[in-house]
């Protein structure tokens, strides 16, 4: 029997969901006078629930009686189709009723919570499915499909039913009938192998398929489907980093070089050299070997940090992609060492502009590309609107972090039209790890135990899918690679895991992420061997094949190695917290991965072949830096108006609308928040958190990224990102000698030598700066093939590649958080000092963007000068000589001064003629808006200015002004005012895009 319970706003209460839909329809110009009413609903399938039971549930459990009302009936009852009583009839106007439901098999996290809550009421436990309902009036019939497709539902995970619902049942699955399947590779030529790869969504290279074909020919048998899938998962770009860690023949203007393992010979090598240089003073603990990088924190604890990407899933289903992106990186923390406690999160997003429609006519991808050629037409088929992507991604990260009680403390949002089909979603997490729990080792004969969520079809082929180029068909073909997270389940898993860790109930742990059990068990058992009993895995519903169980990426699952004698205690602990724990196999000292289903062997692979058998492929990489085109500055510039335009530009403007959705106070350790200043709405350079509340020692989290510089030279782009991440840490008080870095490379199709060459060049910059600045890289991740292809109206294939994007995340430390500073001005009369050399570096700048200028020199980094500057600034902050400090980045000095002024509520007078500049930087526009690296603007109390000057004696610096109580920013050039603006006007421009 099927019941439906509808929850509607009570009379006089606002209908927020309806208001959001009507507003979004107006924004997208779908309907100017659309009237909407909404409800959320629950479908309940049970033979044991009565109408009295439903009345209790509606009144006492599912609706808030203060602001909501509920109605219920058997599914199909006409009363369920009637608009809410708050709607009045308008002369018989047509009303459309639409139901939005998750597609069968898609994770519905509210449903199991509702089922458990009903059982807790002492009522018969039903099967539950949730839905949304909308009544629409004032919409033309031809616009209904547009509204459905663009706003109401995502075809990757949702379905829309027009009119009344007609369902017989909502339970899923049918019994699975076992049949061992093999894949005939013997008779396939090269074209046949590649066709097989596409059909099965393996996304393997020809050389890999040929190697597998030859391997099984040598065994005189064909692979089973599960063996082929296991190899595809393990050899995928996501799991093996086969491009960056592969053989590369590289050529640039300095000559040719052959890498046997590019990552190991650049980024890894730099960290290794630093650790050898430090000897006993080495503060790295575990780098590039566990789920996250680990460094020393204090005498009792280490800290770990990991940043992941979840790009392709977020392109198809923004909420679910971002939701599980954060959930996945939190599990990376839980799976580091013997389990680290997640203490704070970060996020960085790259989107196409949300005002995409207003930019359609003849828009060049980027006015800063030296030779722009490509243009993006109207929204291509298969692409979600950037506004919808942006809102869904933000909400996905928000909901997961907030529900788990983990503060989101640092991040960034970047806009470029080339992210249209490929948004980038970086999610990071920091964890606290007892020093004696920092390493793990599964032992022979340990049980393989799965804890947490059940396994379903959600997420299948997620690891291999990340290696694919997105197309307009990806939503249809790869929707199964999208998952929906359940943060409450993961919170329970985290609590159980940390308790089990402290009781010593397991010997090793890892997260069940990309590739599912295939990757988790395969990696844990690499040096031992494993036997897995697939039928034992708890399932969400019947009907999964043995292969689907093995490669599913269903969320909220962890895999533990547990000794036989500890299993009983672990099982009891998990049961006490409502976490499912199941033995699914054993680590056998066989050196083989053996997969069984009800006693039948369905897979048998040698571990050595699985992990070392991928064929070495030499990739060609070339890089030729584009010539530096001159940037011609206009004779007449309205500097005040230019500053306002930069402040209001998408990449500089306030991101408060994102930040305010996140809880950055939970756990009580946040010291410097994402927003600071007199009204807590100024842009902080970095976050400071106390991981151990009884201690004043803190960690500092910051990031650096500027893909626009990569259009000029990816070496300087990478160097600038490193410099920015470090100087953001230093600006709040971090010790530059204890900063660790993470790299996240997001690139286009690296099968093209030019694209791969630009990536190698960025990696070389990472190596060079790491060695000089003595900032080790401790972890990283890459996401390649970030391109979107479609066929336009003229039947031409069009490809949009993202700009080469490198995110550098920094984890710093500070001995005493009470010595940290923020960027807002503190008091009138203080002196202002600029630190660092300003150069004629407007290439890729925001000044060039708003002035529609191309060319110019991209910002560069002098690592020796940077190292000395960072040390000097840290010494000044540590000595208590600095009241406020802000790094100079997007928009240069003018933007930094404006932000410090309106964040603190004070004005400033600045004289740019006093700045330390190179010989080519005499133009006022360069002094104001150059984005040269390694620069800070510091507020210094006047009585401390002499001591400050002595401390900075060997560093380019100058006193350029003072803080005032005039509430105006006045900038002069040799006594002539070139900017004179009220801080309220500056702040208004900076906050202008907040109505998104």
């Amino acid at each position: 029997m099927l019941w439906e319970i509808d929850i509607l706003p009570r009379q006089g209460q606002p209908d927020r969901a309806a208001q959001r839909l009507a507003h979004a329809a107006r924004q997208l110009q779908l309907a100017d006078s659309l009237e909407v009413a909404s409800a959320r609903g629950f479908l309940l399938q049970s033979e044991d629930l009565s109408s009295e039971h439903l009345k209790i549930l509606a009144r006492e459990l599912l609706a808030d009686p203060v602001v909501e009302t509920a109605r219920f009936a058997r599914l199909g009852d006409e009363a369920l189709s009637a608009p809410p009583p708050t709607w009045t009839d308008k002369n018989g106007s047509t009303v459309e009723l639409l139901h939005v439901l998750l597609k069968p098999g898609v994770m519905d996290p509210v449903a199991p919570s509702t089922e458990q809550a009903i059982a807790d009421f002492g009522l018969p436990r039903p099967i539950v499915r949730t839905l949304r309902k909308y009544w629409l009036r004032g919409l033309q019939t031809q616009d209904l499909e547009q509204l459905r497709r663009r706003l109401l539902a995502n075809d990757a995970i949702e379905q829309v039913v027009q009119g009344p619902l007609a369902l017989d049942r909502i339970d899923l699955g049918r019994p699975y009938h076992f049949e061992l399947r093999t894949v005939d590779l013997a008779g396939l030529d090269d074209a046949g192998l590649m066709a097989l790869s596409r059909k099965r969504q393996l996304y393997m290279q020809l050389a890999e398929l040929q190697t597998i074909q030859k391997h099984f020919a040598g065994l005189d048998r064909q692979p089973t489907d599960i063996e082929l899938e296991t190899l595809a998962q393990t050899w995928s770009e996501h799991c093996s980093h086969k491009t960056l860690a592969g053989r590369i023949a590289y050529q640039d203007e300095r000559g040719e070089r052959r890498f046997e393992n590019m990552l190991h010979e650049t980024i890894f090598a730099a960290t290794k050299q630093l650790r050898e240089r430090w000897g006993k003073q080495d503060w790295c603990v575990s780098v590039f070997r566990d789920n996250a990088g680990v460094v020393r924190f204090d005498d009792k604890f280490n800290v770990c940090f990991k940043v992941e990407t979840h790009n392709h899933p977020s392109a198809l289903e923004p909420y679910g992609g971002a939701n599980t992106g954060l959930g996945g990186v939190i599990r990376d923390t839980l799976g580091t060492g013997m389990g680290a406690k997640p203490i704070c999160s970060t996020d960085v997003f790259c989107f196409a502009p949300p005002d995409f429609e207003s930019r359609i006519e003849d828009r060049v991808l980027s006015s800063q590309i030296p030779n722009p050629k490509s243009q993006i037409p109207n929204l291509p088929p298969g692409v979600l609107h950037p506004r919808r992507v942006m809102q869904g991604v933000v909400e996905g990260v928000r909901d997961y972090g907030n529900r788990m009680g983990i503060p989101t403390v640092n991040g960034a949002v970047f806009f470029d039209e080339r992210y249209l089909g490929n948004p980038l979603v970086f999610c990071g997490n920091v964890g606290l790890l007892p020093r004696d729990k920092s390493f793990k080792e599964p032992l022979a004969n340990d049980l393989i135990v799965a804890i947490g969520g059940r396994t379903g079809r959600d997420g299948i082929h997620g690891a291999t899918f990340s290696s694919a180029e997105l197309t307009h068909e990806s939503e249809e073909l790869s929707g199964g690679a999208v998952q929906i997270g359940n943060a409450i389940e993961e919170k329970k898993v985290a609590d159980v895991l940390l308790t089990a860790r402290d009781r010593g109930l397991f010997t090793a742990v890892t997260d069940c992420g990309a590739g599912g059990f295939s990757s988790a068990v395969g990696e844990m058992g690499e040096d031992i061997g494993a036997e897995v009993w697939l039928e034992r895995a708890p399932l969400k519903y019947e009907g999964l094949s043995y292969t689907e169980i093995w490669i599913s990426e269903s969320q909220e699952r962890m895999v533990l190695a547990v000794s036989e004698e500890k299993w009983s205690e672990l099982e009891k602990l998990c049961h006490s917290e409502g976490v499912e724990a199941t033995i699914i196999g054993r680590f056998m000292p066989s050196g083989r991965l053996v997969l069984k289903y009800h006693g039948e062997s369905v897979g048998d692979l040698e571990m050595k072949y699985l992990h070392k058998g991928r064929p070495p492929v030499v990739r060609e990489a070339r890089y030729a830096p584009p010539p530096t085109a001159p940037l011609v500055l206009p004779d007449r510039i309205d500097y005040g108006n230019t500053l306002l335009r930069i402040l209001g530009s998408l990449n500089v403007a306030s991101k408060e609308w994102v930040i305010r959705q996140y809880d950055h106070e939970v756990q009580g350790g946040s010291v410097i928040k994402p927003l600071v200043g007199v009204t807590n709405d100024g842009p902080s350079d970095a976050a400071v958190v106390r991981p151990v509340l009884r201690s004043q020692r803190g960690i500092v989290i910051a990031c650096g990224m500027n893909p626009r510089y990569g259009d000029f030279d990816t070496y300087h782009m990478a160097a600038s990102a490193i410099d920015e991440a470090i100087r953001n840490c230093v600006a709040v008080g971090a010790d530059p000698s204890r900063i660790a870095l993470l790299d996240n490379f997001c690139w286009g199709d690296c099968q093209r030598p030019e694209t791969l060459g630009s990536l190698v060049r960025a990696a070389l910059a990472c190596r060079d700066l790491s060695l000089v600045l003595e900032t080790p890289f401790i972890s990283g991740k890459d996401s390649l093939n970030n391109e979107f292809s479609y066929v336009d109206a003229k039947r031409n294939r069009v490809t949009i590649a993202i700009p080469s994007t490198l995110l550098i995340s920094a984890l710093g430390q500070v001995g005493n958080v009470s010595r940290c500073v923020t960027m807002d001005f503190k008091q009138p009369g203080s002196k202002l000092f600029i630190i660092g050399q300003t150069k004629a570096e407007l290439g890729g700048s925001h000044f060039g963007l708003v002035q529609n200028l191309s060319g110019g020199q991209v910002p560069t980094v002098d690592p020796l000068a940077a190292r000395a500057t960072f040390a000097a600034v840290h010494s000044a902050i540590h000595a208590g000589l600095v009241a406020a400090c802000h790094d100079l980045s997007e928009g240069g000095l003018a933007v930094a001064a404006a932000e410090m002024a309106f964040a603190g509520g004070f004005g400033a007078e600045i004289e740019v003629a006093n700045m330390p500049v190179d010989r080519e930087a005499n133009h006022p526009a360069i002094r104001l808006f150059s984005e040269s690296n390694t620069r800070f603007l510091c507020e210094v109390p006047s009585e401390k200015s002499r001591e400050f000057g002595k401390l900075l004696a060997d560093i380019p610096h100058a006193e350029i002004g003072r803080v005032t109580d005039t509430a105006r920013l006045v900038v002069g050039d040799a006594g002539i005012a070139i900017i004179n603006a009220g801080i309220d006007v500056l702040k208004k421009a900076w906050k202008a895009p907040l109505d998104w």
Side-chain angles (χ1 to χ4, degrees):
M1 183 182 298
L2 278 178
W3 296 89
E4 180 180 334
I5 301 178
D6 288 345
I7 313 298
L8 304 102
R10 185 172 286 281
Q11 180 80 31
Q13 295 296 322
D15 188 340
R16 299 297 188 193
Q19 292 171 358
R20 286 194 296 268
L21 179 60
H23 178 66
R26 287 193 298 272
Q27 286 182 318
L28 296 182
Q29 301 176 354
L30 293 178
D32 292 330
S33 57
L34 178 65
E35 295 181 65
V36 185
S38 76
R40 56 189 179 90
F42 298 84
L43 298 177
L44 289 79
Q45 179 179 317
S46 174
E47 298 299 326
D48 301 317
L49 287 175
S50 67
S51 60
E52 285 301 312
H53 293 150
L54 270 292
K55 187 182 299 183
I56 293 172
L57 295 177
R59 182 179 66 242
E60 299 184 26
L61 176 64
L62 300 179
D64 182 342
V66 177
V67 295
E68 294 175 322
T69 184
R71 67 186 185 190
F72 66 90
R74 290 188 180 180
L75 194 67
D77 193 306
E78 292 183 359
L80 295 171
S81 299
T86 54
W87 252 28
T88 57
D89 181 62
K90 288 197 174 181
N91 300 321
S93 299
T94 301
V95 175
E96 296 285 356
L97 169 61
L98 299 178
H99 296 78
V100 183
L101 302 91
L102 291 167
K103 288 182 176 179
V106 175
M107 176 64 188
D108 183 351
V110 177
S113 298
T114 306
E115 293 171 3
Q116 183 60 51
I118 292 172
D120 291 343
F121 259 62
L123 300 179
R125 182 168 184 153
I127 297 170
V128 176
R129 189 174 175 187
T130 65
L131 57 85
R132 306 192 313 273
K133 299 176 73 167
Y134 298 93
W135 292 267
L136 309 174
R137 186 164 53 199
L139 189 69
Q140 298 296 319
T141 304
Q142 61 269 24
D143 294 330
L144 186 61
E145 175 61 20
Q146 286 287 319
L147 184 81
R148 183 203 68 77
R149 184 177 65 84
R150 300 177 69 178
L151 291 178
L152 278 185
N154 184 338
D155 285 339
I157 61 166
E158 294 171 317
Q159 57 186 330
V160 176
V161 177
Q162 191 169 349
L165 281 181
L167 299 172
D168 297 326
R169 55 195 294 273
I170 59 174
D171 57 326
L172 301 173
R174 295 290 187 272
Y176 168 66
H177 299 288
F178 171 73
E179 179 185 355
L180 180 63
R181 296 181 179 273
T182 59
V183 183
D184 187 1
L185 301 181
L188 296 180
D189 60 10
D190 291 351
L193 289 172
M194 294 307 295
L196 176 74
S197 178
R198 289 189 296 271
K199 180 180 179 181
R200 290 182 169 270
Q201 299 189 51
L202 304 176
Y203 303 112
M204 301 184 81
Q205 296 176 339
L206 178 59
E208 295 168 340
L209 293 164
Q210 291 170 332
T211 298
I212 294 171
Q213 186 183 50
K214 182 178 179 180
H215 175 76
F216 282 96
L219 298 177
D220 196 26
R221 69 178 180 89
Q222 296 301 323
T224 64
D225 56 347
I226 199 170
E227 290 172 335
L228 189 58
E229 291 281 2
T230 301
L231 289 164
Q233 308 296 321
T234 307
W235 293 3
S236 69
E237 191 72 66
H238 184 95
C239 296
S240 69
H241 313 287
K242 57 191 176 187
T243 296
L244 271 70
R247 296 180 177 181
I248 297 176
Y250 174 68
Q251 180 179 1
D252 62 13
E253 76 279 9
R254 289 170 288 188
E256 298 180 1
R257 175 172 179 180
R258 170 73 174 260
F259 294 98
E260 292 301 311
N261 184 317
M262 194 273 292
L263 266 183
H264 280 251
E265 294 171 50
T266 56
I267 295 173
F268 289 21
T271 298
K272 182 180 179 182
Q273 289 181 44
L274 289 175
R275 299 187 72 181
E276 291 172 349
R277 183 187 303 175
W278 293 333
K280 293 183 179 180
Q281 302 302 314
D282 178 21
W283 46 274
C284 294
V285 176
S286 174
V287 299
F288 297 111
R289 57 179 292 181
D290 208 335
N291 290 354
V294 185
V295 297
R296 290 268 181 265
F297 179 65
D298 61 18
D299 291 340
K300 294 183 178 180
F301 294 99
N302 297 325
V303 287
C304 65
F305 193 14
K306 178 66 173 290
V307 177
E308 280 272 11
T309 56
H310 226 222
N311 305 335
H312 284 22
S314 300
L316 298 186
E317 208 303 287
Y319 180 89
N323 197 249
T324 54
L326 183 60
V329 80
I330 291 170
R331 289 197 305 277
D332 277 329
T333 294
L334 291 169
T336 296
M338 293 292 282
K341 177 188 176 182
I343 54 175
C344 62
S345 296
T346 70
D347 58 12
V348 175
F349 307 137
C350 298
F351 302 127
D355 56 344
F356 184 80
E357 263 73 12
S358 65
R359 301 170 176 236
I360 289 175
E361 296 299 326
D362 297 324
R363 292 163 305 147
V364 176
L365 293 183
S366 172
S367 61
Q368 295 294 292
I369 299 176
N371 295 296
K373 296 178 180 178
S374 303
Q375 295 177 346
I376 299 177
N378 205 342
L379 198 67
V383 172
L384 297 176
H385 192 280
R387 184 186 299 272
R388 184 171 172 187
V389 172
M390 179 177 69
Q391 291 173 340
V393 165
V394 171
E395 290 170 1
V397 170
R398 173 198 68 195
D399 288 353
Y400 213 99
N402 290 359
R403 288 168 183 167
M404 281 204 69
I406 301 172
T408 302
V409 298
N410 181 256
V413 185
F414 190 88
F415 296 95
D416 189 298
E417 290 186 5
R418 291 169 287 178
Y419 296 117
L420 182 64
N422 262 287
L424 303 185
V425 177
F426 302 90
C427 296
N429 189 256
V430 180
L432 185 68
L433 186 63
R435 289 181 64 163
D436 63 346
K437 303 291 185 181
S438 296
F439 297 96
K440 59 194 172 193
E441 183 180 2
L443 303 176
N445 298 311
D446 276 353
L447 300 172
I448 303 171
V449 176
I451 69 170
R454 292 191 157 210
T455 298
R457 289 194 175 93
D458 40 333
I460 287 177
H461 287 133
T464 55
F465 174 54
S466 66
S467 299
E469 173 192 89
L470 289 179
T471 72
H472 65 283
E473 297 178 329
S474 293
E475 184 175 282
E476 176 183 347
L477 296 176
S478 301
V482 177
Q483 309 127 65
I484 304 297
N486 186 347
I488 303 304
E489 181 68 32
E490 186 150 317
K491 180 64 169 71
K492 294 192 299 181
V493 170
D495 291 345
V496 160
L497 183 69
L498 296 178
T499 301
R501 176 200 70 186
D502 294 340
R503 292 189 191 176
L505 300 184
F506 56 88
T507 60
V509 58
T510 193
D511 73 305
C512 201
F517 290 136
S518 167
S519 296
V521 177
E523 291 173 7
M524 287 181 72
E526 178 179 357
D527 297 326
I528 304 172
E531 183 173 299
V532 182
W533 312 313
L534 294 166
E535 77 281 356
R536 296 195 179 190
L539 305 182
K540 295 179 180 179
Y541 37 80
E542 291 184 299
L544 269 69
S545 71
Y546 56 86
T547 300
E548 290 173 323
I549 294 170
W550 182 235
I551 67 172
S552 166
E553 296 181 12
S554 293
Q555 298 292 293
E556 288 78 48
R557 299 177 302 164
M558 303 290 289
V559 175
L560 309 179
V562 181
S563 64
E564 193 103 41
E565 60 270 20
K566 298 290 186 180
W567 161 242
S568 178
E569 185 178 352
L570 175 67
E571 185 183 30
K572 289 178 182 177
L573 172 64
C574 290
H575 179 74
S576 70
E577 295 293 336
V579 173
E580 201 160 9
T582 308
I583 297 171
I584 63 168
R586 187 185 295 273
F587 290 109
M588 306 290 283
S590 63
R592 305 192 69 82
L593 175 64
V594 178
L595 307 175
K596 293 187 175 182
Y597 186 79
H598 288 291
E600 294 275 354
S601 179
V602 295
D604 188 346
L605 293 169
E606 186 183 10
M607 282 290 192
K608 183 178 180 181
Y609 178 72
L610 178 62
H611 293 282
K612 307 295 184 183
R614 180 168 49 82
V617 177
V618 179
R619 292 174 172 82
E620 298 292 328
R622 297 189 298 271
Y623 191 82
T628 301
L631 185 146
V632 180
L633 294 170
D635 293 333
R636 298 179 61 85
I637 302 173
D638 184 337
Y639 296 109
N641 182 60
T642 299
L643 174 57
L644 293 175
R645 291 172 65 193
I646 294 176
L647 287 169
S649 63
L650 294 180
N651 291 328
V652 176
S654 172
K655 307 304 183 296
E656 184 178 359
W657 72 275
V658 178
I659 296 167
R660 291 296 181 198
Q661 297 185 55
Y662 300 147
D663 187 339
H664 45 264
E665 300 282 1
V666 66
Q667 296 193 24
S670 298
V671 177
I672 294 182
K673 334 288 186 185
L675 296 170
V676 298
V678 65
T679 56
N680 293 310
D681 57 1
S684 178
D685 288 302
V688 178
V689 176
R690 284 189 302 140
V692 181
L693 296 183
R694 62 179 178 270
S695 168
Q696 289 297 100
R697 187 168 182 82
I699 59 170
V700 181
I701 304 104
C703 61
M705 184 179 74
N706 198 326
R708 295 174 60 82
Y709 294 168
D711 296 329
F712 294 77
D713 192 322
T714 53
Y715 184 97
H716 297 309
M717 176 192 75
S720 295
I722 293 169
D723 189 279
E724 181 183 13
I726 295 173
R727 70 176 183 265
N728 278 331
C729 284
V730 171
V732 299
D735 181 352
S737 69
R738 288 294 295 270
I739 294 176
L741 301 180
L742 279 68
D743 61 85
N744 284 89
F745 292 89
C746 286
W747 248 249
D749 182 3
C750 285
Q751 297 300 314
R752 291 193 297 267
E754 296 79 9
T755 305
L756 181 57
S758 67
L759 191 152
V760 174
R761 191 172 181 88
L764 290 170
C766 291
R767 178 203 62 189
D768 294 348
L769 268 75
S770 174
L771 286 171
V772 177
L773 297 175
E774 295 199 333
T775 48
F777 282 87
I778 61 170
S779 182
K781 199 71 175 177
D782 60 89
S783 173
L784 310 182
N785 282 311
N786 287 285
E787 300 191 354
F788 178 84
S789 294
Y790 66 98
V791 178
D792 67 12
K794 297 180 180 179
R795 309 302 300 169
N796 296 318
R797 183 178 175 86
V798 180
T799 297
I800 305 170
I802 67 163
S804 299
T805 305
L806 172 62
L807 169 66
I808 297 293
S809 302
L811 176 66
Q813 299 189 32
V814 58
N816 188 332
V817 297
S818 65
R819 294 182 179 273
C820 292
V821 299
T822 55
M823 51 76 67
D824 47 303
F825 286 155
K826 301 303 189 296
Q827 70 177 56
S830 295
K831 294 184 178 182
L832 297 178
F833 287 82
I834 188 170
I835 301 170
Q837 189 87 358
T838 299
K839 306 172 186 176
E841 294 178 327
L842 289 173
S845 68
H846 286 73
F847 172 80
L849 178 64
V850 302
Q851 293 288 341
N852 198 27
L853 302 174
S854 61
Q857 173 63 51
V858 69
T860 58
V861 177
D862 179 341
L864 287 173
R867 180 177 175 179
T869 301
F870 294 146
V873 172
H874 170 67
S875 296
I877 292 174
H878 186 72
L881 306 180
V882 178
C885 182
H886 197 16
D887 89 305
L888 272 60
S889 53
E890 294 90 349
L893 171 65
V895 167
E899 290 174 341
M900 295 178 79
F902 61 64
F906 296 112
E909 293 178 354
I910 292 175
E911 175 55 63
V912 297
N914 297 337
M915 294 171 57
V917 297
D918 66 10
R919 289 182 296 177
E920 299 177 353
N922 288 323
H923 196 288
I926 297 174
R927 295 172 181 249
L928 284 171
F929 302 114
S930 171
E931 297 180 6
S932 293
N933 288 298
T934 326
R935 297 185 303 154
F936 301 86
L937 183 60
C938 292
E939 175 192 359
V940 179
S942 57
E943 67 274 13
K944 298 180 180 180
S945 61
R946 180 172 295 180
E947 186 179 355
F948 179 84
K950 289 181 179 179
L951 197 56
L952 274 292
D954 297 328
I955 306 298
H957 73 284
E959 181 183 337
I960 60 169
R962 63 188 184 93
V963 180
T964 70
D965 58 4
T966 61
R968 299 191 70 81
L969 176 63
V970 180
V971 181
D973 179 25
I976 301 174
I978 53 177
I979 293 177
N980 189 338
I983 61 173
D984 56 337
V985 175
L986 298 171
K987 191 172 189 176
K988 183 178 180 180
W990 185 67
K991 288 195 170 188
L994 283 179
D995 63 352
W996 292 339

